[in-house]
Each structure stands twice: as structure tokens, then as C-alpha cells.
Amino acid sequence: MSKASLILIDDDRHVLDSMAGWLREQDYQVDTASAVGEAVSKIDKSATSGKPYDLVLADVRLGDRDGFEILAHCRSNHPAITVTLITGYGTVET
């Protein structure tokens, strides 16, 4: 049985590296991206290769763009891929 694959997207290199390391220790195949354009390109490439990611795990805040763009792209172009958005800035209100 193949390992689950995911792409982790965060513009904070420390967070990206530490989360990716931990996920790899849990036996996931992990790819990373630090920007929306890079992430979309990798998501599209994985899908066209016949091995789409099982999960897209994206930070909400990505520099001057955001994870909602990645969510919208996946919903429109790769609806079978699960997308989870994460943030360190959330509040009960938002």
C-alpha cells in the first residue's frame, strides 16, 4: 500500500520545515511550497502525472496572497483533492 501524499504550503520557512519533518516522520510523502503560484504548479503537475496529492495543507496567510486561492483552484480543477486550510492567526470571531 502506498503512503498518503500531501503538499504543505506555508511562507514561513521554519514552520514549513518543521511541519514537513514531522509529517515525514509519520510516514507521509510530503512535498512543500512557499507561495501560491508554486503550490498551484505542483498541484497541477501531480494531478496530470496520475498521482494527485491526497491532501493539500495550506496556510491561510501566504505573503500578499492566501490559501483561499489554492482552495478555489482545487475546487475548480481538482475537486477530488482534499484541501485543509490552517492559520496561526485565527480567533473565535474569524
Side-chain angles (χ1 to χ4, degrees):
M1 186 157 122
S2 64
K3 299 176 184 177
S5 67
L6 64 95
I7 183 167
L8 176 63
I9 307 143
D10 199 306
D11 61 343
D12 182 321
R13 179 52 69 184
H14 177 72
V15 170
L16 190 65
D17 291 344
S18 63
M19 284 183 66
W22 182 81
L23 288 163
R24 287 183 182 112
E25 289 174 3
Q26 308 311 308
D27 290 327
Y28 291 99
Q29 291 179 347
V30 181
D31 200 0
T32 61
S34 58
V36 172
E38 177 187 12
V40 166
S41 176
K42 288 183 176 186
I43 292 165
D44 290 346
K45 185 177 178 181
S46 77
T48 59
S49 75
K51 297 178 186 175
Y53 295 115
D54 297 302
L55 174 66
V56 172
L57 187 58
D59 190 10
V60 171
R61 291 187 181 183
L62 294 166
D64 63 345
R65 298 174 75 181
D66 63 47
F68 289 103
E69 292 179 59
I70 296 167
L71 174 62
H73 177 79
C74 288
R75 281 189 173 169
S76 296
N77 300 288
H78 313 290
I81 298 175
T82 299
V83 178
T84 300
L85 299 179
I86 58 174
T87 185
Y89 297 97
T91 66
V92 172
E93 291 78 23
T94 61

